[in-house]
Amino acid sequence: SSVALAVADYVGQEETLYMSGAATVALTGEDCNANTFRYESNAAQHMAGLTDFAASELGTTWWLHSTDEAYGQSALNQLERRVDEQNLDVDIVGRTMPDPGTSDFGPQISQISSSDADVLVLPETGGDLINFMKQAGNAGLLDEMEVIGTALFAQVSRQALGETAIGTYSSTLYNHQLETGDNAQFVEAYRDEYDVPPGNFARVGYELVRTAARGIQAAGTADRAQVVETLEGLETTTVLGETSYRACDHQSVNPVWTGEVVEAGDGTEVELLEKVDGPDTVRPCEETGCGL
């Protein structure tokens, strides 16, 4: 997310188009610009698949844990915003935000274990998520409370965590088993090429390129200004169904699911439990801070 914000700042001053896959809200919020479009669901959308389900199905006393960087800060802010917006009866009893690259999560795990929380909320990604989860599992923390995150669904996370991820829940941005849009064709083509099903990062990269190409095709030119104008509100069929980039902030209006990580063969898979439709995941245009 930090890299994406730097790239967006650069392209905002250039005659070029930037199709981003980062998740920090600021990218299509207060730091938006006319040249930047985001197909990936942002941190606010991630919360749509996390907060409502957790409050109704897992428990109402929460501890929040994430890394102290652009995505973590954005995710926690949006989590609290959605809790207030949906008027959820939730008590947030504490939060831990260690620095990126922390190697010893013992102090944070001790704090969480000593709290009254019955749900551990993890809007966390990458190596920090994997290292924290492994240490939390070894310490027995994952047996003490329900766990729900925003990236536990991801193929790369589940492969690294193995059985440690089983029984956790996750806001889910993509699943290769989805019967939406033209996902079946995408999965078939990906399997033919790589012999494995696609994960979320493959889906994002594919649609970043494809929606840019469709904007060029619809505009009838590769002129940046005309492609930008064409992409704003252009309805296209994607692997997630019919989606579009909003004119007000250039954010893709994607649905989000809640899933549970379950055992499957020699590994794990995500069992989808609930769906939140695209329009119900995004913030109202007037609340984004984007001035397009």
Side-chain angles (χ1 to χ4, degrees), residues 128-144:
D128 290 309
L129 168 66
I130 292 166
N131 292 334
F132 173 82
M133 282 288 292
K134 287 181 176 180
Q135 292 180 36
N138 290 335
L141 181 67
L142 305 185
D143 297 325
E144 297 177 17

Side-chain angles (χ1 to χ4, degrees), residues 196-241:
V196 294
N200 186 59
F201 294 121
R203 182 270 305 185
V204 173
Y206 177 65
E207 294 293 12
L208 290 179
V209 175
R210 188 163 68 148
T211 54
R214 286 175 170 173
I216 293 169
Q217 289 174 331
T221 175
D223 177 75
R224 177 202 55 83
Q226 293 187 53
V227 173
V228 166
E229 183 178 351
T230 300
L231 280 173
E232 293 180 342
L234 180 67
E235 287 280 346
T236 60
T237 299
T238 73
V239 299
L240 298 181

Side-chain angles (χ1 to χ4, degrees), residues 74 92 95 107 109 133 155 179 194 207 215 228 253 288:
S74 181
I92 298 174
R95 65 167 65 191
I109 291 171
M133 282 288 292
Q155 195 176 61
E179 297 178 356
Y194 301 108
E207 294 293 12
V228 166
V253 184
T288 64

Side-chain angles (χ1 to χ4, degrees), residues 254-276:
N254 299 328
V256 175
W257 292 260
T258 306
E260 181 180 5
V261 181
V262 299
E263 187 173 5
D266 295 331
T268 61
E269 65 181 20
V270 178
E271 179 181 329
L272 298 179
L273 304 175
E274 293 185 359
K275 178 185 178 182
V276 183

